[in-house]
Amino acid sequence: TQTGPRLLPALQQLNLPSLGRGTSTCSNRLASACKALVAAQVPVHAGYHYDGTPRRFFEGWYWKVTHPETGDSFALIYSIEDPAGGTTHAGVGVQVMGPDGYICQFSPNTRTFWADRSQLALGATLVPRTTTLPRAMLSETEFERYVEQGFQASATVQQGSIVANESGAGGGDLSTVQTCSWNLRIEPVSSWGAVTGGAQKATAGWLSALQVFEPHWQVLMSHGLTTGWVEWGGRRYDFSQAPTYAEKNWGGGFPSKWHWIQCNSWAGQPGLSVTAVGARRALLLGIQAAGIGEEDVGLIGITLPSGDFIELVPWNAELEWDVDPWGRWYMRAVGAEYEAIIEASCASDSGTVLRAPTIASGLVPFCKDSFEGKARIRIWRLSNGTGGAGSSYGSGSESGALPFFEATSDSAAVEVGGGPWWQAWSAKAAMREPFRTLVQLPIDVGALA
């Protein structure tokens, strides 16, 4: 690609600040890592990331499908913990969150898990029907022939069957549903970027291709359409062209604290997808040795019904949030061309506790989710951007101008995690140097694959 020749000179021209003892060689290490990445042409993000390094590692995948008429939603969550095995946390977890319920099946046998390093494809045989363990995607009938309990997942297929069996996962018996099976076919519509006219973008910027942040995060599909069924504790749910979302994480463990809103089931706005998050994440590459262990970051990403994409991230916008421990979310982002405010709320007695990977304890109860969030998104074009001076849509919220786009939903997915935290969290995103400067380099992560 043309990325490599641009990358190293740009890095060399940066006047990166010293981060203190033990990190003076940070820029050299980043340059070396980038050079190796370009030379190797390593696929990023869609593929499996585990490289055999002997450290605490997880990788997790999340798919959400929402019934377009009833608003009923399901989340399919797969994770691999310490893939090499031999640790107290090692295992394969499958969690499903559905209408008023939760189920988890966990197996300490990581050898039953497989994933493709170059594309989005993974699976696990928790209980086999034969002595043959699948190591790649199968046809629907082949999967049923070989797998009694387990799953297979790709960008276009979700198929599986599990029973409540949480032995080996932290938190005891949390399942409220005893059985779940599913067979879904997915038509991806948009990933992270404009629907047409460009490759998928890295959600956390091109630095997510390096071992810099902890954990890494990628939105795999901001919007898709799913047809198929889920059998949930004896009740069958059928889906036809249902809004669908997918993301993944990988690293040592989830952030110490975070909040999240995701919705692609907005009233009267098919194709609209909004993802908003704020997190306190760890920094690697020796940065912690300088006493800079964490940073607050966030983003608001919007795929409009037109297919256009608005990305408000710490390196191109100012972001702030005010979120309660449960029940209320507020996030605002102001960039050069757009301002966005997303608000959400849910009943105090709603929500389901989910497990998440942690560095110290493996897969344990670590977050709370609801599919019953009442959400509102407003977007303004700013006068110093594309709105134009004098336009009634050309100023932000503080001027009293009308937003150029507004939508509401009663079926948003909302989440808080980490901590635990007991008071409202008010913060501003503050991405640290040199990463704020580095991430703005014109590096196309997709072109590196």
Side-chain angles (χ1 to χ4, degrees), residues 51-400:
D51 60 3
T53 302
R55 73 177 186 102
R56 164 68 183 140
F57 181 87
F58 84 92
E59 194 150 351
W61 297 260
Y62 174 101
W63 273 268
K64 173 175 66 73
V65 57
T66 302
H67 198 285
E69 297 176 2
T70 66
D72 290 326
S73 294
F74 287 89
L76 305 171
I77 309 167
Y78 317 117
S79 64
I80 177 72
E81 312 283 330
D82 293 348
T87 72
T88 57
H89 306 321
V92 182
V94 184
Q95 302 177 77
V96 182
M97 175 182 166
D100 301 318
Y102 169 82
I103 183 174
C104 174
Q105 185 166 357
F106 185 87
S107 170
N109 185 0
T110 60
R111 291 175 296 177
T112 68
F113 176 85
W114 65 269
D116 194 304
R117 289 185 58 84
S118 63
Q119 61 182 325
L120 182 57
L122 60 142
T125 306
L126 304 179
V127 176
R129 293 187 187 275
T130 72
T131 57
T132 301
L133 296 181
R135 309 304 295 177
M137 294 295 295
L138 303 176
S139 70
E140 177 181 337
T141 54
E142 286 178 324
F143 178 83
E144 293 176 349
R145 183 188 313 144
Y146 290 112
V147 181
E148 180 177 341
Q149 295 166 20
F151 72 93
Q152 63 174 356
S154 72
T156 58
V157 173
Q158 298 287 316
Q159 186 176 4
S161 179
I162 61 172
V163 300
N165 185 351
E166 296 158 277
S167 177
D173 294 331
L174 302 179
S175 295
T176 58
V177 175
Q178 297 306 304
T179 62
C180 179
S181 57
W182 58 96
N183 194 340
L184 304 168
R185 296 297 180 266
I186 304 169
E187 176 189 343
V189 175
S190 59
S191 52
W192 191 253
V195 173
T196 60
Q200 174 174 300
K201 303 174 69 173
T203 307
W206 72 268
L207 282 173
S208 59
L210 307 176
Q211 191 175 316
V212 177
F213 309 119
E214 188 69 52
H216 289 302
W217 176 51
Q218 177 68 38
V219 174
L220 298 167
M221 182 174 59
S222 66
H223 186 58
L225 298 171
T226 288
T227 298
W229 53 265
V230 177
E231 290 189 353
W232 183 241
R235 179 178 176 183
R236 182 181 172 109
Y237 292 79
D238 290 296
F239 297 90
S240 178
Q241 300 287 285
T244 306
Y245 168 87
E247 66 177 39
K248 69 182 297 186
N249 299 85
W250 66 97
F254 266 40
S256 62
K257 188 176 184 179
W258 77 91
H259 61 84
W260 175 83
I261 304 170
Q262 206 296 312
C263 186
N264 56 355
S265 53
W266 301 87
Q269 297 289 350
L272 173 63
S273 180
V274 180
T275 304
V277 67
R280 181 164 294 167
R281 70 179 176 190
L283 300 172
L284 298 180
L285 275 179
I287 306 304
Q288 295 185 22
I292 308 174
E294 294 183 316
E295 63 179 4
D296 287 346
V297 292
L299 65 79
I300 298 177
I302 304 162
T303 302
L304 293 169
S306 63
D308 294 331
F309 183 64
I310 298 173
E311 183 183 41
L312 299 168
V313 288
W315 54 92
N316 72 12
E318 299 295 325
L319 296 104
E320 61 183 3
W321 57 81
D322 185 25
V323 177
D324 284 347
W326 184 249
R328 182 185 63 88
W329 292 256
Y330 171 89
M331 194 166 183
R332 178 177 180 240
V334 182
E337 297 184 6
Y338 297 100
E339 174 185 354
I341 294 178
I342 183 167
E343 301 164 280
S345 63
C346 68
S348 60
D349 60 352
S350 67
T352 299
V353 174
L354 300 180
R355 291 176 168 91
T358 64
I359 292 178
S361 304
L363 190 66
V364 297
F366 202 50
C367 56
K368 187 176 182 179
D369 287 56
S370 174
F371 293 138
E372 300 174 0
K374 298 182 182 300
R376 179 191 188 195
I377 179 70
R378 291 174 289 163
I379 311 170
W380 291 261
R381 286 195 180 100
L382 302 183
S383 57
N384 59 334
T386 60
S391 168
S392 61
Y393 300 98
S395 300
S397 61
E398 294 182 348
S399 72

